[in-house]
Amino acid sequence: MPIGLAQRMLDVAPSATKAMTAQARALSAGGHDIIALTQGEPDFDTPKAICAAGVAAIRGGHTRYTTVAGIPDLRQAIAGQLDQDHDLAYAPDQIIVGSGAKQVIVNALLATLDPGDEVVVPSPCWVSYPEMTKLAGGVPIIADGMASATFKLTPALLDAAITPRTRWLILNTPSNPTGAVYTASELDALAEVLRGNDHVAVLCDEIYEQLVYSPARFASLAAMAPDLSDRILIVNGVSKAHAMTGWRIGWGAGPKPLIKAMTTIQGQTTSHASSIAQRAALEAVVGDQAHLKAFRDTLRKRRDLICEHLNRMPGLACRVPDGAFYVLVSCEAMIGRKAPDGTPIGSDVDFAMLLLERFGVAVVPGSSFRAPGHMRLSFAASTGDVVRACERLQEACDTLMAETA
Ligand SMILES: Cc1ncc(COP(=O)(O)O)c(C=O)c1O
């Protein structure tokens, strides 16, 4: 008899981003010339000093189990960074280090959700929030921000999404997939709604904090609304800022009882993040930070380049993102048209497939982020790839607009 799967698997989808990346890789491996704009990671190498700290950890024998919540030096350093950057006072026992921000978020949801509890997820949203919520037995309530010009959650949308069963609001700034960055006054307005709903906690996913392009400025809800601190969990990590996605280090900072419960879950599942990666992350947090600006400057140039091209292409339109390394592009004008072989393009998924199979550009369809009629392009690819991808997209748009003309 085959191994049966749990009921919960009926409802949990695999990551669409990872699926599209895998498909692009498979086509490339088969000899096709594919440019992937699907990646959720910078194309930069991890800075040398951070790698050296990892090597030194191995050589120095830091190869055994660590404390579940993370090595004390790293937790102390994270607390120091929160204090220095945002004037936020967290004790090391209010911080948990996990295997990536992803594990930290799952720990938090598992620690707090009972079956049927609701999590407000503003859309467009990162593909994993609704699925993680379902895995933890909760119900994602999508607050649809597609109608708002900035794609951001508004106080009215938040108010309408909250019910007596709401346990969490997940707030992601800068956002994956829109690159939207919440201003201090926007956070203030959301905090006002939260003050009237003291049963709602906020998971602030700030993993793209370091990737904000001036004049936009990063603002943290915890710093804006200190009165809400006992129901805010900040999630951050080294993956995106320090080009360390494969090292798998993320962290959460929040109220002690929550961190304690999350630590219990981690202790019974993965035990702790890699001892070696924790030492490398310590260097990332306390060491030279010059690479942050260098990464940001490079990504900013690519953002300007790709957005300028996209907004000149017939049938496509995008807002210039203030942060992260994604641009959410409307391809609504392409839907209803026909591919060169006569196949109708009925959705953003069809359009993304056409781009991949006929024009050699891999993007993620917006539907995966609850943004139908759109596609997400990552500009964390090399500048050469971004330029070549724009040429191919231009050809695709010209072809499709001509087909139906
Ligand atoms: C919004 C958001 N949060 C969290 C993560 C996961 O980060 P990590 O690689 O540290 O698990 C990602 C990765 O794509 C993300 O886009």
Side-chain angles (χ1 to χ4, degrees):
M1 199 155 138
I3 298 176
L5 298 182
Q7 197 68 21
R8 74 174 75 87
M9 293 316 297
L10 296 177
D11 212 22
V12 177
S15 160
T17 322
K18 297 222 182 305
M20 204 65 178
T21 306
Q23 198 162 347
R25 277 193 189 139
L27 281 172
S28 296
H32 295 268
D33 174 19
I34 305 290
I35 304 169
L37 298 186
T38 48
Q39 53 277 64
E41 60 184 346
D43 63 318
F44 312 122
D45 291 332
T46 304
K48 285 197 170 58
I50 299 174
C51 293
V55 172
I58 297 173
R59 295 225 164 94
H62 296 287
T63 52
R64 298 175 192 277
Y65 289 138
T66 72
T67 38
V68 171
I71 54 174
D73 287 359
L74 179 54
R75 283 187 288 150
Q76 184 72 57
I78 294 162
Q81 190 179 63
L82 284 163
D83 182 24
Q84 185 185 305
D85 293 356
H86 302 299
D87 209 9
L88 287 170
Y90 284 92
D93 62 0
Q94 289 183 280
I95 290 167
I96 179 171
V97 174
S99 299
K102 235 178 188 171
Q103 188 191 14
V104 175
I105 299 170
V106 171
N107 283 343
L109 296 176
L110 283 174
T112 51
L113 295 183
D114 283 319
D117 282 348
E118 295 175 357
V119 176
V120 175
V121 180
S123 73
C125 59
W126 182 39
V127 290
S128 295
Y129 298 139
E131 307 310 310
M132 290 164 156
T133 300
K134 288 187 266 175
L135 263 179
V139 180
I141 302 294
I142 306 296
D144 185 355
M146 286 304 286
S148 113
T150 56
F151 296 130
K152 291 183 203 171
L153 179 70
T154 60
L157 278 173
L158 174 58
D159 201 36
I162 291 176
T163 76
R165 298 252 16 207
T166 309
R167 296 298 313 277
W168 288 99
L169 158 68
I170 300 187
L171 199 61
N172 175 214
T173 181
S175 153
N176 174 8
T178 67
V181 177
Y182 284 79
T183 64
S185 63
E186 286 165 342
L187 292 178
D188 241 351
L190 294 175
E192 211 35 53
V193 176
L194 293 161
R195 285 188 186 103
N197 290 281
D198 61 8
H199 62 298
V200 180
V202 196
L203 192 157
C204 296
D205 182 345
E206 302 179 349
I207 194 80
Y208 295 98
E209 171 184 357
Q210 296 299 336
L211 297 174
V212 175
Y213 310 108
S214 67
R217 283 169 64 94
F218 174 78
S220 179
L221 181 71
M224 297 301 309
D227 55 314
L228 302 183
S229 68
D230 61 352
R231 49 189 169 112
I232 290 179
L233 175 70
I234 296 176
V235 174
N236 209 323
V238 292
S239 298
K240 317 286 178 174
H242 301 278
M244 291 180 71
T245 45
W247 296 80
R248 310 304 304 128
I249 296 289
W251 53 79
K256 219 158 134 178
L258 173 64
I259 298 297
K260 191 165 171 240
M262 291 164 65
T263 306
T264 301
I265 289 170
Q266 186 158 291
Q268 297 294 11
T269 51
T270 55
S271 290
H272 59 78
S274 150
S275 59
I276 296 148
Q278 288 190 62
R279 299 242 150 218
L282 177 60
E283 170 63 25
V285 176
V286 301
D288 182 24
Q289 304 289 300
H291 55 272
L292 294 181
K293 183 174 182 311
F295 289 171
R296 194 164 46 235
D297 288 350
T298 304
L299 287 169
R300 184 201 182 95
K301 283 189 195 128
R302 291 181 192 160
R303 175 201 69 166
D304 292 346
L305 182 91
I306 200 167
C307 290
E308 208 186 299
H309 279 83
L310 286 167
N311 279 325
R312 281 206 306 256
M313 291 178 200
L316 301 184
C318 69
R319 294 181 55 80
V320 178
D322 283 326
F325 40 66
Y326 309 106
V327 53
L328 192 69
V329 184
S330 166
C331 53
E332 276 164 320
M334 297 299 179
I335 296 166
R337 291 178 183 271
K338 286 201 169 67
D341 66 357
T343 315
I345 300 171
S347 67
D348 53 285
V349 178
D350 291 348
F351 184 57
M353 284 320 283
L354 178 77
L355 288 179
L356 178 64
E357 289 169 356
R358 189 178 159 109
F359 295 94
V361 180
V363 302
V364 186
S367 304
S368 338
F369 308 101
R370 316 267 170 154
H374 289 68
M375 55 184 181
R376 189 196 75 176
L377 274 55
S378 162
F379 47 91
S382 74
T383 306
D385 274 357
V386 169
V387 171
R388 287 194 310 129
C390 284
E391 287 163 5
R392 292 181 186 190
L393 288 169
Q394 178 78 51
E395 191 197 334
C397 292
D398 290 344
T399 309
L400 286 193
M401 298 308 268
E403 282 295 322
T404 346

